Amino acid sequence: MPPQITIRPSGHVFHAQDGETVLEAALREGYMLPYGCRNGACGSCKGRVIAGTVDHGNSRETALPLAERAQGMALFCQAQPRSDLVIECREIGAVKDIPVKTLPCRVQSLERLAPDVMRIRLRLPASERLQFLAGQYIDILLKDGTRRSLSLANPPHDDGLLELHLRNYGGPFSTQVFTQMKEKDILRFEGPLGTFYLHEDSDKPVILVAGGTGFAPIKAIIEHAIHHRIRRPLTLYRGARRPADLYLNELAEAWQREHGITYISVLSDAVAEDRWTGRRGLVHEAVIADLPDLSGYEVYACGAPAMIEAARRDFCARCGLPESAFYADAFTPAVASSG
Ligand code: FES
């Protein structure tokens, strides 16, 4: 039998697979324990082993002094269970429990996903990991003191590299990325930020509405849901202007094929030469046409402010969606942006 681990005080129970640390097993099973570097150096993941024994792996003495180890403390990013365990540690239940960090990072790769959309992958220093909730964003700190908010497109379990999707609107950061930025460039960012994330304390079916590069945090949420086998029905409505704007379309089609996630793309500006045979119009209108009664749903929407506002207004006024079941991340400079 794989070792069973019980968390106090929550009473949550999970099992560790061969070779897994306590932290890896907890995250795989959907329990958010705090962490920082994930390599035994920072102490963010420290907790107490109340019962059972662990192998401390590469726990560094600076993060876990021998005296603390003798008192039963452990770094859960290193500790591997050698028996069933009862551990005591804090669990992250909300955004406010996650520390916001300012970190340097290196551009690992730049990849055009569409003529005006760049995928930027960032590598953190070896001693750092970023803990976040799927759907949150980071602020890139620019040399002139301004910030550029970009949603994280990778889910938290896949945190080796941070993934951003940037649309070129012609602003200073977009111009820099599309014309000068190269691999190995150094950036600084602050994060994670924002309160846009999947609320897992509900079992309502979920409608995800993504406009343009609002696809980025929606991708993180869907990949998180797939990884944690969240059973709630998920339907993705994706709005774009023309077919070329539906970047990573094959990925969304694979979610539908392999994981039963309904995927509906809606184009607002398709022209004859696009030979588009799918849905047309405004993406939120497509939701209303399909689901005139949204009273039993939760909606997560990310995109331009006009799309978010129209969706909020019409879903609540015309379709009975409770205001409290509408979660949104709009591309506004002061809040969050994937654009
Ligand atoms: S996360 Fe840094 S020591 Fe475990």
Side-chain angles (χ1 to χ4, degrees):
M1 270 293 279
Q4 173 178 296
I5 303 169
T6 306
I7 309 176
R8 296 264 183 264
S10 68
H12 289 144
V13 176
F14 60 100
H15 293 86
Q17 293 172 354
D18 241 12
E20 272 186 330
T21 65
V22 172
L23 178 67
E24 286 167 343
L27 295 178
R28 180 179 45 73
E29 297 220 4
Y31 299 116
M32 286 283 279
L33 306 191
Y35 65 81
C37 66
R38 281 173 68 169
N39 66 9
C42 74
S44 308
C45 62
K46 196 185 293 181
R48 186 178 300 279
V49 178
I50 300 174
T53 52
V54 297
D55 176 334
H56 288 279
N58 290 325
S59 300
R60 306 208 195 149
E61 229 193 298
T62 43
L64 183 69
L66 290 176
E68 287 188 6
R69 196 183 286 205
Q71 290 160 5
M73 303 304 282
L75 300 178
F76 293 133
C77 75
Q78 297 299 313
Q80 292 189 8
R82 290 287 169 261
S83 67
D84 288 352
L85 299 179
V86 179
I87 62 171
E88 182 181 70
C89 69
R90 186 168 68 80
E91 275 174 86
I92 290 184
V95 168
K96 66 175 171 43
D97 299 328
I98 301 178
V100 177
K101 299 180 179 179
T102 300
L103 294 172
C105 58
R106 205 177 270 282
V107 176
Q108 176 77 14
S109 64
L110 293 162
E111 177 190 355
R112 267 196 211 235
L113 297 175
D116 61 350
V117 177
M118 190 77 85
R119 166 150 63 187
I120 310 169
R121 287 199 164 106
L122 301 174
R123 180 176 290 286
L124 297 184
S127 59
E128 291 285 358
R129 288 292 173 102
L130 186 73
Q131 185 162 31
F132 63 97
L133 300 179
Q136 287 193 285
Y137 68 94
I138 59 173
D139 270 0
I140 303 286
L141 306 175
L142 303 175
K143 290 207 173 81
D144 64 2
T146 60
R147 295 164 168 256
R148 183 64 200 268
S149 302
L150 288 160
S151 295
L152 293 162
N154 56 300
H157 67 267
D158 179 16
D159 66 350
L161 298 173
L162 302 181
E163 176 182 340
L164 312 171
H165 299 167
L166 177 78
R167 162 153 284 143
N168 188 0
Y169 285 119
F173 183 63
S174 305
T175 304
Q176 180 193 341
V177 170
F178 278 78
T179 61
Q180 298 159 13
M181 187 173 279
K182 46 191 190 332
E183 290 172 9
K184 298 199 170 65
D185 279 2
I186 302 277
L187 297 172
R188 272 189 342 125
F189 72 87
E190 182 182 85
L193 300 165
T195 55
F196 184 67
Y197 60 92
L198 184 65
H199 293 253
E200 296 181 35
D201 51 357
S202 163
D203 56 5
K204 288 181 177 177
V206 175
I207 307 294
L208 302 135
V209 186
T213 44
F215 182 65
I218 299 290
K219 170 180 177 290
I221 287 175
I222 290 176
E223 291 182 339
H224 171 77
I226 291 171
H227 181 75
H228 291 287
R229 298 192 183 87
I230 290 173
R231 298 270 167 242
R232 298 163 68 183
L234 302 182
T235 304
L236 166 61
Y237 284 85
R238 186 165 185 206
R241 290 164 302 183
R242 297 186 57 192
D245 301 318
L246 292 171
Y247 66 88
L248 294 178
N249 195 47
E250 31 344 296
L251 175 67
E253 288 175 347
W255 292 334
Q256 173 154 268
R257 217 174 34 248
E258 293 161 22
H259 301 287
I261 290 163
T262 307
Y263 173 43
I264 296 158
S265 41
V266 184
L267 297 188
S268 59
D269 297 315
V271 297
E273 72 188 64
D274 291 334
R275 295 194 167 76
W276 176 252
T277 55
R279 307 280 292 267
R280 290 170 183 265
L282 297 177
V283 64
H284 86 283
E285 290 287 359
V287 178
I288 293 170
D290 293 350
L291 301 164
D293 180 0
L294 286 170
S295 57
Y297 288 81
E298 269 185 0
V299 173
Y300 293 79
C302 186
M307 185 272 270
I308 299 292
E309 263 330 292
R312 185 196 307 273
R313 183 190 62 227
D314 292 348
F315 291 172
C316 296
R318 289 165 54 190
C319 306
L321 180 76
E323 281 268 358
S324 59
F326 184 85
Y327 301 100
D329 186 5
F331 296 173
T332 55
V335 186
S337 166
S338 293

